[in-house]
Amino acid sequence: MTSSILLGKSGAADGKSVDVVLQACYGNRHGMIAGATGTGKSVSLMVMAEGFSRLGVPVFLADVKGDLAGLSQAAVLNDKLKPRLEKLGITNFAPAANPVVFWDIYGKLGHPVRATVSEMGPTLFTRLLELNDVQAGVLEVVFKAADDHGWLLLDLKDLRALLAFAADKANAKALSAQYGLISPTSIAAIQRALLQLENAGGDQFFGEPALDLADFMRQDMSGRGIVNILAADQLIRKPRLYSTFLLWLLSELFERLPE
């Protein structure tokens, strides 16, 4: 099996075309596909995804326009594609569908994606709720208290109940004495931010069963890497939820990497 991915062809000075390839060994580097509208950015991304899949490497893509879903279908040799193949000198083209699994935080266009509040942690929650330093400190205390007492934080209802518990004068006094000062004003601000998150669809993301990252790291029966596509055409309209989800996904991935 080849260890490179054919990205396209480039014209040379002598009139002959030159293959533009990506060596698989450099696939762990950062990269960016840039260009004006209609120059083929999405197509280039799909070619790379298909290439890695053929090499047995699982792929994750966030589909913000809805066009990446075409990877699940085999191409049709029409009057536009045939001349293109002839121009590029590609004679071994064989249309084939890719092994694709669709995911969706809202559970409408794919498998639901879930994470528990405890897994997200106070750091990412602070970013998600756009809290200031004082409010972030209070949230740290609340998470620490839940961890020490073995209280499960599965969804936003659990977090809201814990904040209400911490807002009680007697409980706030006990928590402040053990972990640090808890301000009722800060708790109220966190509760308001939590309400905004719920209205933005956050209540559909937090809960069980939580996503196991191993679900993304799979191959099909033929050894091809699964192409995981996140339906993000609606999610992109909620930038805080979208960006925090991707940060959480990366943090989960880095925790699994060998040191």
Side-chain angles (χ1 to χ4, degrees), residues 156-157 160 191 193-204:
L156 296 184
K157 292 181 181 178
R160 183 173 291 282
Q191 290 173 325
L194 197 59
L195 179 60
Q196 293 178 352
L197 176 61
E198 290 175 342
N199 293 334
D203 56 334
Q204 296 176 290

Side-chain angles (χ1 to χ4, degrees), residues 120-138:
M120 182 67 70
T123 301
L124 285 179
F125 245 100
T126 294
R127 183 186 186 282
L128 183 59
L129 299 178
E130 296 184 346
L131 305 179
N132 59 33
D133 292 341
V134 176
Q135 296 161 359
V138 172

Side-chain angles (χ1 to χ4, degrees), residues 115-118 152-159 205-208:
T116 65
V117 172
S118 295
L152 295 178
L153 297 177
L154 301 180
D155 53 26
L156 296 184
K157 292 181 181 178
D158 292 338
L159 181 56
F205 173 57
F206 292 101
E208 287 190 314

Side-chain angles (χ1 to χ4, degrees), residues 103-182:
W103 302 86
D104 185 7
I105 284 182
Y106 300 111
K108 296 179 179 179
L109 300 177
H111 296 285
V113 181
R114 298 285 184 269
T116 65
V117 172
S118 295
E119 286 179 329
M120 182 67 70
T123 301
L124 285 179
F125 245 100
T126 294
R127 183 186 186 282
L128 183 59
L129 299 178
E130 296 184 346
L131 305 179
N132 59 33
D133 292 341
V134 176
Q135 296 161 359
V138 172
L139 192 63
E140 286 273 2
V141 169
V142 170
F143 269 81
K144 177 61 176 174
D147 187 52
D148 289 347
H149 290 83
W151 298 332
L152 295 178
L153 297 177
L154 301 180
D155 53 26
L156 296 184
K157 292 181 181 178
D158 292 338
L159 181 56
R160 183 173 291 282
L162 184 58
L163 289 171
F165 171 84
D168 181 81
K169 290 184 178 180
N171 297 329
K173 183 177 180 180
L175 292 173
S176 297
Q178 184 175 359
Y179 300 103
L181 181 62
I182 291 181

